[in-house]
Amino acid sequence: MYDDIIVPTDGGEQMDAVIDAAVDIATQRGARIHALSVIDRGVFLTLEEGLTDAVDEELTANAERAVEAVTDAASAADLTNEGVVRRGRPGEEIIAYADEIGADLIVMGSRGADGHERRMLGSVSQDVITETDCQTLVIPLGSA
């Protein structure tokens, strides 16, 4: 039933629970893990022009490390895997990637933002579960 599992990651400390769940499911099903980190282009809207390149380099390095954590865990479990870094709006990019690869499952975390924060910032997990046709498992990560 599950052949391709996407694990969107921002590299947060609590991602271990998400990675463990995805690897466990993939191991049971013989599925491939697709690690995805999205650099939110909205970050650049408020930056001074001279800072854009330095911030982009830092965000890219962080995204690559986040993807590597997922692919390393998948490799340790002898699972086929790949890692991708994209730029855009995180929810939209996760959904687009799921469609592109024909994903069967998205396993992602939810930060547990309070009501005010969710209204102001939105929720990537909420965007994904309401807009995708792909099955989605959301792991609560608490407020971090």
Side-chain angles (χ1 to χ4, degrees):
M1 177 172 191
Y2 300 125
D3 294 319
D4 291 281
I5 299 172
I6 296 177
V7 182
T9 179
D10 63 2
E13 293 177 18
Q14 297 177 336
M15 278 300 298
D16 288 346
V18 175
I19 295 168
D20 291 347
V23 167
D24 183 52
I25 294 166
T27 299
Q28 292 177 39
R29 304 293 185 166
R32 289 176 292 279
I33 295 281
H34 300 267
L36 172 65
S37 189
V38 180
I39 298 170
D40 189 344
R41 299 301 290 173
V43 169
F44 298 96
L45 296 175
T46 59
L47 288 179
E48 293 180 27
E49 194 171 315
L51 297 175
T52 303
D53 289 343
V55 170
D56 187 51
E57 286 179 26
E58 183 176 342
L59 292 175
T60 299
N62 290 342
E64 289 170 350
R65 280 191 297 275
V67 164
E68 186 176 334
V70 177
T71 58
D72 285 353
S75 292
D78 292 324
L79 295 169
T80 303
N81 63 82
E82 71 173 2
V84 176
V85 174
R86 295 176 86 156
R87 288 168 169 71
R89 293 194 55 192
E92 291 174 4
E93 291 298 323
I94 293 165
I95 294 165
Y97 187 62
D99 290 343
E100 288 169 22
I101 68 165
D104 305 297
L105 180 65
I106 300 169
V107 179
M108 62 189 305
S110 174
R111 292 276 178 235
D114 66 22
H116 175 70
E117 184 178 49
R118 185 170 287 126
R119 281 190 303 276
M120 295 299 291
L121 301 175
S123 166
V124 173
S125 57
Q126 183 67 33
D127 288 347
V128 171
I129 62 175
T130 58
E131 298 296 327
T132 189
D133 294 327
C134 185
Q135 290 186 20
T136 305
L137 173 62
V138 179
I139 310 291
L141 299 179
S143 56

